Amino acid sequence: MGLLLVLRAPQPRPKSLRRATRKQRRERHRADADEWATARKRGLLLDVPVEKLLPLLNAAGGNRLPILGQLDPWSDGVLVREDLPQLDADVDRLGAAAADDAERGLVAALKALLARWRDEPGLTLHWYGD
């Protein structure tokens, strides 16, 4: 299980694939996979294992964190640029609560993703949960 964080241009509300044909579903999933592969190469994608993230979130304050505390790792959502200062503060609290090298590596990866977000205006942070 993982939480996929992707920096991408704001997207229009996607059409539901509920009534799509198999071919349409395959094409949509293939397009998403291609986009995510490109985002990974550019450093705009982070795949976070939920089993590593949740204990770290709980140690840092859990649902008292303004942004990360409200993030549901089993749903999808979007953060806008106005959320960046609070998200920076949340990641700093995660860094203070990190107890081992794996958690510190996760915090470093989150900070790198946020730095890319600062450098590329016009992007939003999308998360896709399991």
Side-chain angles (χ1 to χ4, degrees):
M1 289 179 83
L3 180 68
L4 192 66
L5 301 169
V6 182
L7 289 173
R8 62 195 304 197
Q11 304 289 308
R13 187 167 179 91
K15 292 182 181 178
S16 172
L17 291 180
R18 190 175 65 206
R19 294 181 183 230
T21 64
R22 284 185 183 178
K23 181 180 178 186
Q24 289 170 326
R25 288 177 194 271
R26 276 194 307 270
E27 288 172 0
R28 173 81 172 270
H29 293 298
R30 190 174 300 125
D32 284 344
D34 291 345
E35 178 185 356
W36 292 344
T38 302
R40 185 180 306 273
K41 289 177 188 172
R42 293 184 55 212
L44 302 176
L45 180 138
L46 179 62
D47 192 2
V48 180
V50 173
E51 58 273 359
K52 290 183 182 178
L53 179 64
L54 289 180
L56 183 57
L57 280 174
N58 289 334
N63 62 2
R64 293 189 310 266
L65 297 171
I67 300 292
L68 292 177
Q70 308 311 313
L71 187 129
D72 182 2
W74 292 276
S75 68
D76 300 342
V78 178
L79 296 175
V80 293
R81 200 156 191 83
E82 290 78 22
D83 296 324
L84 191 54
Q86 285 185 324
L87 189 55
D88 275 330
D90 284 359
V91 172
D92 288 341
R93 287 181 66 185
L94 288 180
D100 60 21
D101 288 340
E103 290 178 347
R104 284 188 282 278
L106 176 59
V107 171
L110 284 168
K111 286 184 178 189
L113 186 68
L114 295 181
R116 285 300 302 260
W117 193 9
R118 268 186 232 91
D119 293 343
E120 297 198 28
L123 297 179
T124 55
L125 180 63
H126 296 249
W127 81 83
Y128 303 95
D130 281 341

